[in-house]
Amino acid sequence: MPRDSYTLAVAQPRTAPPERRAENVGRAVELIAEAAGRGADLVLFPEHCPGPFFPGEDFDAAPALSAAAAEHGIAVCWSRMEQGSDGLWRLTVYVVDRTGEQVLRYERSHPATVPVSDTGAHVAPGPVLASFELDGVPMGIAVCSELWIPEPARVLALRGAQILLSPAGGGFTSLAPNWELIARVRAIENQCYLALTHNLYDVESGSAMITGPEHPLVHAGRAELAVATVDLARLRWLRENDDQLGAVKSFDSIPGLLRARRPELYGELAEPRDDLFDYHARPATEAAR
């Protein structure tokens, strides 16, 4: 039987400064315990959290996080920067289940289009989108600015994802209102639930939230953890039914959107273009090293 509900937690930790970055692992373990104590089935951590964030940071969070997941019986989604056998760095997301076993390893497929000087390394793209199933619930992942590109979220929804996890880096500054709006839009247009979170680098109020196809469920604000239960039975109803003309609606978002599409009209979306960002090209300054 499909699950009718699922409880999500979004963690937006106040990250330690670079010289004490390994301390983020201990804080993550504390937040895992807190999320489990509040009844969460899964806790989502921000992009490259608890890390390492950058090349040269030498600590391994995986054993502690897997152990905490198993101890508290909660799934955990976290990420770090990893260097591949090709010498290139990729933002890599992990999901472990309630026993601490790895369910997913996802290399971010749409890295941020920022100068190499901002990341300390050429961040290369991964080869696939992130689809997986956890506790019988189909899910997907859109990391940071991947959420701003509509196609990944739509493809994940068409694969059946009922929950999208969106771990972001942070420092949204003036983008914060639109980032939160984009999160709501992706949930509405793809008739799914979406969990967004990011690192807090200062005393700012965060944008971590859990939102659905009809309305937001919770905003974390300045708290480092927020929890909400999503209604998967309602989600299935919205996906399986159609719009109606009556003045009194039984829904707050148009149902049946994923079935209302005309794929035969959208061929341009998959066609190569000359002006696309080249994620594979190393910057000249790095290639010369």
Side-chain angles (χ1 to χ4, degrees), residues 127-148:
V128 297
L129 298 178
S131 297
F132 66 104
E133 187 172 294
L134 183 66
D135 296 328
V137 181
M139 302 187 189
I141 294 177
V143 178
C144 202
S145 57
E146 286 186 318
L147 191 65
W148 287 62

Side-chain angles (χ1 to χ4, degrees), residues 6-12 28 31-36 40-46 69 74-78 94-96 134 165 195 197 224-227:
Y6 202 77
T7 302
L8 298 170
V10 286
Q12 55 172 16
L31 289 169
I32 289 170
E34 183 180 343
D41 294 298
L42 177 148
V43 57
L44 170 67
F45 285 93
I74 183 174
V76 179
C77 180
W78 65 283
Y94 288 90
V95 178
V96 297
L134 183 66
L165 306 177
T197 194
E224 290 186 283
L225 192 74
V227 179

Side-chain angles (χ1 to χ4, degrees), residues 189-243:
E189 68 187 3
N190 292 299
Q191 295 185 323
C192 64
Y193 288 98
L194 190 143
L196 167 70
T197 194
H198 62 103
N199 300 283
L200 295 180
Y201 296 115
D202 206 337
V203 295
E204 77 270 27
S205 180
S207 293
M209 64 189 297
I210 299 169
T211 189
E214 294 182 283
H215 51 78
L217 302 180
V218 66
H219 286 83
R222 288 185 170 84
E224 290 186 283
L225 192 74
V227 179
T229 298
V230 302
D231 188 344
L232 300 178
R234 177 63 173 175
L235 182 70
R236 291 193 293 272
W237 187 93
L238 288 168
R239 287 186 171 186
E240 294 167 1
N241 287 274
D242 295 320
D243 197 1

